[in-house]
């Protein structure tokens, strides 16, 4: 999944700009999909590495790596909050295991967090708040459509 998301982002999705503000950032799905008992250190390191590879090929030095690490950190705690109490310890973060509404809620929160922080750090100023919000929300919406599409194919 690491290589597939990397290749899709670098080769295709980095060149998509809807209305000049929205870019799908599908690679965040990697950090969303960790299992409940997946080692936290491995989730952080592998998310950082994917972000670093994206940074190298997207000319965003350190930006994707730092925000992917943040999302991986938050995901490890958010999946515990959203998952049912009586669920298995190795629960996968997927629509099949969590149900559509819980997975959509969790992935929407993590995707919105990713986009808000990513575009805030990218511009590194908040002088044009409306452009920052537009880029964040349109990108998060595009990313969620892609994540739910990929998840519907994976859960079959």
């Amino acid at each position: 999944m690491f290589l597939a998301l990397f290749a899709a982002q670098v080769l295709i999705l980095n060149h998509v700009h809807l209305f000049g503000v929205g870019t799908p950032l599908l690679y965040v799905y990697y950090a969303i999909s960790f299992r409940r008992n997946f080692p936290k250190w491995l989730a952080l390191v592998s998310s950082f590495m994917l972000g670093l590879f994206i940074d190298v090929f997207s000319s965003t030095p350190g930006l994707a790596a730092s925000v992917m690490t943040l999302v991986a950190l938050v995901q490890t705690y958010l999946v515990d909050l959203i998952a049912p109490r009586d669920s298995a310890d190795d629960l996968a973060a997927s629509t099949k295991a969590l149900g559509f509404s819980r997975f959509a809620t969790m992935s929407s929160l993590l995707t919105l967090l990713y986009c808000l922080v990513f575009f805030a750090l990218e511009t590194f100023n908040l002088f044009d708040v409306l452009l920052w919000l537009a880029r964040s929300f349109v990108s998060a919406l595009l990313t969620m459509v892609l994540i739910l599409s990929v998840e519907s194919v994976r859960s079959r």
Side-chain angles (χ1 to χ4, degrees), residues 35-72:
R35 291 186 168 276
R36 181 188 245 175
N37 67 346
F38 196 77
K40 287 182 174 93
W41 69 270
L42 188 56
L44 295 174
V45 169
S46 62
S47 294
F48 174 81
M49 292 305 294
L50 178 59
L52 189 63
F53 289 149
I54 296 290
D55 284 334
V56 167
F57 288 95
S58 301
S59 300
T60 55
L63 189 58
S66 61
V67 186
M68 279 291 287
T69 307
L70 173 68
V71 169

Coordinates of all heavy atoms in Angstrom, one line a residue, residues 35-72:
R35 N -3.9 -0.7 11.9 CA -4.7 -1.5 12.9 C -4.6 -1.0 14.3 O -3.7 -0.2 14.6 CB -4.2 -3.0 12.9 CG -4.5 -3.7 11.6 CD -4.1 -5.2 11.7 NE -4.6 -5.9 10.6 CZ -5.9 -6.4 10.6 NH1 -6.7 -6.2 11.6 NH2 -6.3 -7.1 9.5
R36 N -5.5 -1.4 15.1 CA -5.6 -0.9 16.5 C -4.3 -1.2 17.3 O -3.8 -0.4 18.0 CB -6.8 -1.5 17.2 CG -6.9 -1.0 18.6 CD -8.0 -1.7 19.3 NE -9.1 -0.8 19.6 CZ -10.2 -1.2 20.2 NH1 -10.4 -2.5 20.4 NH2 -11.1 -0.3 20.5
N37 N -3.8 -2.4 17.2 CA -2.6 -2.8 18.0 C -1.3 -2.7 17.2 O -0.3 -3.2 17.6 CB -2.8 -4.2 18.6 CG -2.8 -5.3 17.5 OD1 -2.9 -5.0 16.3 ND2 -2.6 -6.5 17.9
F38 N -1.3 -2.0 16.1 CA -0.1 -1.8 15.3 C 0.9 -1.0 16.2 O 0.5 0.0 16.8 CB -0.4 -1.0 14.0 CG 0.6 -1.1 13.0 CD1 0.8 -2.2 12.2 CD2 1.5 0.0 12.8 CE1 1.8 -2.2 11.2 CE2 2.4 0.0 11.8 CZ 2.6 -1.1 11.0
P39 N 2.1 -1.3 16.2 CA 3.1 -0.6 17.1 C 3.1 0.9 16.7 O 3.3 1.3 15.6 CB 4.4 -1.3 16.8 CG 4.1 -2.6 16.2 CD 2.8 -2.5 15.5
K40 N 3.0 1.7 17.7 CA 2.9 3.2 17.5 C 4.2 3.7 16.9 O 4.2 4.5 16.0 CB 2.6 3.9 18.8 CG 1.2 3.7 19.2 CD 0.9 4.5 20.5 CE -0.5 4.4 20.8 NZ -1.0 3.4 21.7
W41 N 5.3 3.2 17.3 CA 6.6 3.7 16.8 C 6.7 3.3 15.3 O 7.2 4.1 14.5 CB 7.8 3.1 17.6 CG 8.0 1.6 17.4 CD1 7.5 0.6 18.1 CD2 8.8 1.0 16.3 NE1 7.9 -0.6 17.6 CE2 8.7 -0.4 16.5 CE3 9.6 1.5 15.3 CZ2 9.3 -1.3 15.7 CZ3 10.2 0.6 14.5 CH2 10.1 -0.8 14.7
L42 N 6.2 2.2 14.9 CA 6.3 1.8 13.5 C 5.3 2.6 12.6 O 5.6 3.0 11.5 CB 6.0 0.3 13.4 CG 6.2 -0.3 12.0 CD1 7.6 -0.1 11.5 CD2 6.0 -1.8 12.0
A43 N 4.2 2.9 13.2 CA 3.2 3.8 12.5 C 3.8 5.1 12.3 O 3.7 5.7 11.2 CB 1.9 3.9 13.3
L44 N 4.4 5.7 13.3 CA 5.0 7.0 13.2 C 6.2 7.0 12.2 O 6.3 7.9 11.3 CB 5.5 7.5 14.5 CG 4.4 7.8 15.6 CD1 5.1 8.1 16.9 CD2 3.5 8.9 15.1
V45 N 7.1 6.0 12.3 CA 8.2 6.0 11.4 C 7.8 5.8 9.9 O 8.3 6.4 9.0 CB 9.2 4.9 11.8 CG1 10.3 4.7 10.8 CG2 9.9 5.4 13.2
S46 N 6.9 4.8 9.7 CA 6.5 4.5 8.3 C 5.7 5.7 7.7 O 5.9 6.0 6.5 CB 5.7 3.2 8.2 OG 4.6 3.3 9.0
S47 N 4.9 6.4 8.5 CA 4.2 7.5 8.0 C 5.1 8.7 7.7 O 5.0 9.4 6.7 CB 3.1 8.0 9.0 OG 2.1 7.0 9.1
F48 N 6.1 8.9 8.6 CA 7.1 9.9 8.3 C 7.9 9.6 7.0 O 8.1 10.5 6.2 CB 8.1 9.9 9.5 CG 9.3 10.8 9.2 CD1 9.1 12.2 9.4 CD2 10.5 10.3 8.8 CE1 10.2 13.1 9.2 CE2 11.6 11.2 8.6 CZ 11.4 12.5 8.8
M49 N 8.2 8.3 6.8 CA 9.0 7.9 5.6 C 8.1 8.1 4.3 O 8.7 8.6 3.3 CB 9.4 6.5 5.7 CG 10.5 6.2 6.7 SD 11.9 7.2 6.6 CE 12.6 6.7 5.0
L50 N 6.9 7.8 4.4 CA 6.0 8.1 3.2 C 5.9 9.6 3.0 O 6.0 10.0 1.8 CB 4.6 7.5 3.4 CG 3.6 7.7 2.3 CD1 4.2 7.2 0.9 CD2 2.3 7.1 2.6
G51 N 5.7 10.3 4.0 CA 5.7 11.8 3.9 C 7.0 12.3 3.3 O 7.0 13.2 2.5
L52 N 8.1 11.8 3.8 CA 9.4 12.2 3.3 C 9.6 11.9 1.8 O 10.1 12.8 1.0 CB 10.5 11.6 4.1 CG 11.9 12.1 3.9 CD1 12.1 13.5 4.3 CD2 12.9 11.2 4.7
F53 N 9.2 10.7 1.4 CA 9.3 10.4 -0.1 C 8.4 11.3 -0.9 O 8.7 11.7 -2.0 CB 8.9 8.9 -0.3 CG 9.9 8.0 0.2 CD1 9.5 6.7 0.6 CD2 11.3 8.3 0.2 CE1 10.5 5.8 1.1 CE2 12.2 7.4 0.7 CZ 11.8 6.1 1.1
I54 N 7.2 11.6 -0.4 CA 6.3 12.5 -1.1 C 6.9 13.9 -1.1 O 6.9 14.6 -2.2 CB 4.9 12.6 -0.3 CG1 4.2 11.3 -0.4 CG2 4.1 13.7 -0.9 CD1 3.7 10.9 -1.7
D55 N 7.6 14.4 0.0 CA 8.2 15.7 0.0 C 9.3 15.7 -1.1 O 9.5 16.8 -1.8 CB 8.9 15.9 1.4 CG 7.8 16.3 2.4 OD1 6.8 16.9 2.0 OD2 8.1 16.1 3.6
V56 N 10.1 14.7 -1.2 CA 11.2 14.7 -2.2 C 10.7 14.9 -3.6 O 11.3 15.6 -4.4 CB 12.0 13.4 -2.0 CG1 13.0 13.2 -3.2 CG2 12.8 13.4 -0.7
F57 N 9.6 14.2 -3.9 CA 9.1 14.3 -5.3 C 8.1 15.4 -5.5 O 7.6 15.6 -6.6 CB 8.5 12.9 -5.7 CG 9.5 11.9 -5.9 CD1 9.9 11.0 -4.9 CD2 10.2 11.8 -7.1 CE1 10.9 10.1 -5.1 CE2 11.2 10.8 -7.3 CZ 11.5 10.0 -6.3
S58 N 7.7 16.1 -4.5 CA 6.7 17.2 -4.6 C 7.3 18.6 -4.3 O 6.5 19.5 -4.3 CB 5.5 16.9 -3.7 OG 4.9 15.7 -4.0
S59 N 8.5 18.7 -4.0 CA 9.2 19.9 -3.6 C 8.5 20.6 -2.4 O 8.2 21.8 -2.4 CB 9.2 20.9 -4.8 OG 9.9 20.3 -5.9
T60 N 8.2 19.9 -1.4 CA 7.6 20.4 -0.2 C 8.5 19.9 1.0 O 8.1 19.0 1.7 CB 6.2 19.9 0.0 OG1 6.1 18.5 0.0 CG2 5.2 20.5 -1.0
P61 N 9.7 20.5 1.1 CA 10.6 19.9 2.1 C 10.1 19.8 3.5 O 9.9 20.8 4.2 CB 11.8 20.9 2.0 CG 11.3 22.1 1.4 CD 10.1 21.8 0.6
G62 N 9.9 18.6 4.0 CA 9.6 18.3 5.3 C 8.1 18.5 5.7 O 7.7 18.2 6.8
L63 N 7.3 19.1 4.8 CA 6.0 19.4 5.1 C 5.1 18.2 5.2 O 4.4 18.0 6.2 CB 5.4 20.3 3.9 CG 4.1 21.0 4.2 CD1 4.1 21.8 5.4 CD2 3.8 21.8 3.0
A64 N 5.1 17.3 4.2 CA 4.2 16.1 4.3 C 4.7 15.2 5.3 O 3.9 14.5 6.0 CB 4.2 15.4 2.9
A65 N 6.0 15.1 5.5 CA 6.6 14.2 6.5 C 6.1 14.6 7.9 O 5.7 13.7 8.7 CB 8.1 14.2 6.5
S66 N 6.1 15.9 8.2 CA 5.7 16.3 9.6 C 4.2 16.1 9.8 O 3.8 15.7 10.9 CB 6.1 17.8 9.8 OG 5.5 18.6 8.8
V67 N 3.4 16.4 8.8 CA 2.0 16.3 9.0 C 1.5 14.9 9.0 O 0.6 14.5 9.7 CB 1.2 17.2 8.0 CG1 -0.3 17.2 8.2 CG2 1.7 18.6 8.0
M68 N 2.2 14.0 8.2 CA 1.9 12.6 8.2 C 2.2 12.0 9.6 O 1.5 11.1 10.1 CB 2.7 11.8 7.1 CG 2.1 11.9 5.7 SD 0.5 11.1 5.6 CE 1.1 9.4 5.6
T69 N 3.3 12.4 10.2 CA 3.6 11.9 11.5 C 2.6 12.4 12.5 O 2.2 11.6 13.4 CB 5.0 12.5 11.9 OG1 5.9 12.1 10.9 CG2 5.5 11.9 13.2
L70 N 2.1 13.6 12.4 CA 1.0 14.1 13.3 C -0.2 13.2 13.1 O -0.9 12.8 14.1 CB 0.7 15.5 13.0 CG -0.5 16.1 13.7 CD1 -0.2 16.2 15.2 CD2 -0.8 17.5 13.2
V71 N -0.6 13.0 11.9 CA -1.9 12.2 11.6 C -1.7 10.8 12.2 O -2.7 10.2 12.7 CB -2.2 12.2 10.1 CG1 -3.3 11.2 9.8 CG2 -2.6 13.6 9.7
A72 N -0.6 10.2 12.0 CA -0.3 8.8 12.5 C -0.4 8.8 14.0 O -1.0 7.8 14.6 CB 1.0 8.3 12.0

